[in-house]
């Protein structure tokens, strides 16, 4: 196994594969052997062999939580590339159970759940992500989108208010003005979902006051004007 590690570290893929395969066939149950084999097979697009190696790595070290060097994470990557969303979700969800402090895994799960229309599950993992990193605007925007998907318009607007406050807190010299303007436009669209034209127009006005060149704001003004006729 040691020769395989050295060869892999030196970028000698053929030698690494030879030594690591020999170690695996000899019954070595080391996490590092199987993980490196998985990496080599994945790079060579040998999907079946890569999956088997990563599964062996999981058995050797079931609770490994290092995202950048982790069989669950690599398997999720492979499933994503193959368009196998359910399998990708299964690997990320397993990693989520192991690592209580990885907000990125939770945000990725939320994105996948939202695409499947499972906004309740998206909301659940986003709340977990927010507990890990509560100060950023991105998680609150995703929480808002999940609430909107569930038809919870007022809750969505509250999350956007929190997101805007978080973004304003780091808005140096107007660097975030366009982004925040788009958040206000998102809020206007939610108000339109509620059939509240006055509220929608107020949000658009806020967006254009902050960033007058925002084309989306002009488009929403026109849409609201047509709805008033």
């Amino acid at each position: 196994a040691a020769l395989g590690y050295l060869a892999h570290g030196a970028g000698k893929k053929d030698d690494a594969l030879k030594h690591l395969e020999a170690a695996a066939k000899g019954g070595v149950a080391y996490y590092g052997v199987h993980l490196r084999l998985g990496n080599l097979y994945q790079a060579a697009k040998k999907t079946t062999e890569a999956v088997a190696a990563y599964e062996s790595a999981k058995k050797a070290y079931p609770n490994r939580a290092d995202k950048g060097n982790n069989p669950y994470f690599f398997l999720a990557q492979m499933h994503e590339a193959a368009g196998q969303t359910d399998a990708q979700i299964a690997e990320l969800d397993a990693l989520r159970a192991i690592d209580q402090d990885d907000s990125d895994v939770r945000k990725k799960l939320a994105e996948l759940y939202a695409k499947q229309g499972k906004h309740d599950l998206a909301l659940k993992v986003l709340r977990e992500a927010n507990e890990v990193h509560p100060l950023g605007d991105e998680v609150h925007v995703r929480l808002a989108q999940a609430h909107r998907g569930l038809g919870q318009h007022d809750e969505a607007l509250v999350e956007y208010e929190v997101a805007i406050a978080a973004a304003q807190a780091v808005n140096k010299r107007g660097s975030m003005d366009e982004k925040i303007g788009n958040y206000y436009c998102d809020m206007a669209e939610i108000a339109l979902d509620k059939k509240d034209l006055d509220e929608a127009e107020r949000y658009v006005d806020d967006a254009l006051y902050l960033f007058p060149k925002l084309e989306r704001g002009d488009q929403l003004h026109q849409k609201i004007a047509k709805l008033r006729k």
Side-chain angles (χ1 to χ4, degrees):
L3 290 173
Y5 289 178
L6 291 170
H8 188 260
K12 298 178 180 179
K13 295 182 179 180
D14 291 341
D15 288 344
L17 192 60
K18 179 180 69 175
H19 292 301
L20 293 170
E21 283 182 334
K25 289 176 182 177
V28 173
Y30 293 159
Y31 172 87
V33 168
H34 297 297
L35 186 74
R36 286 172 174 81
L37 276 173
N39 292 158
L40 290 166
Y41 290 138
Q42 185 178 355
K45 301 188 184 303
K46 294 182 177 181
T47 302
T48 301
E49 293 88 341
V51 169
Y54 287 140
E55 291 294 344
S56 294
K58 285 161 65 173
K59 290 177 183 177
Y61 197 158
N63 295 319
R64 184 70 181 246
D66 178 7
K67 182 181 67 174
N69 194 29
N70 183 291
Y72 300 93
F73 183 71
F74 291 133
L75 282 165
Q77 282 184 324
M78 293 179 66
H79 291 311
E80 181 176 22
Q84 299 166 339
T85 303
D86 288 341
Q88 180 187 5
I89 287 174
E91 295 297 338
L92 291 174
D93 201 43
L95 186 53
R96 165 180 163 250
I98 294 168
D99 190 350
Q100 303 300 315
D101 297 320
D102 194 328
S103 64
D104 289 337
V105 165
R106 286 158 174 77
K107 286 187 282 187
K108 183 63 177 180
L109 275 169
E111 177 187 325
L112 295 170
Y113 284 138
K115 287 180 179 178
Q116 292 182 332
K118 298 176 181 177
H119 299 289
D120 53 338
L121 293 176
L123 198 60
K124 179 181 178 180
V125 293
L126 282 169
R127 283 172 173 158
E128 292 178 6
N130 188 50
E131 289 177 6
V132 177
H133 292 296
L135 300 179
D137 58 300
E138 180 186 345
V139 170
H140 290 286
V141 169
R142 295 193 184 194
L143 280 165
Q145 291 167 346
H147 280 301
R148 186 183 182 188
L150 291 168
Q152 298 168 348
H153 300 122
D154 291 337
E155 292 88 342
L157 291 171
V158 169
E159 291 296 343
Y160 268 113
E161 292 286 2
V162 176
I164 287 171
Q168 287 284 26
V170 294
N171 188 20
K172 297 179 180 179
R173 298 181 181 179
S175 61
M176 304 278 280
D177 283 355
E178 183 174 4
K179 183 179 187 180
I180 297 169
N182 273 299
Y183 289 167
Y184 278 121
C185 287
D186 290 341
M187 295 175 78
E189 289 179 349
I190 293 170
L192 289 176
D193 290 344
K194 296 168 57 181
K195 312 297 183 185
D196 190 332
L197 300 184
D198 291 339
E199 186 178 29
E201 192 150 27
R202 284 196 297 273
Y203 289 132
V204 175
D205 287 343
D206 288 340
L208 290 173
Y209 176 80
L210 192 65
F211 196 78
K213 296 180 180 180
L214 193 63
E215 292 184 8
R216 186 180 174 199
D218 291 331
Q219 292 167 356
L220 280 167
H221 257 322
Q222 294 170 15
K223 181 177 181 178
I224 293 167
K226 288 180 181 178
L227 290 170
R228 289 190 184 280
K229 292 180 180 179

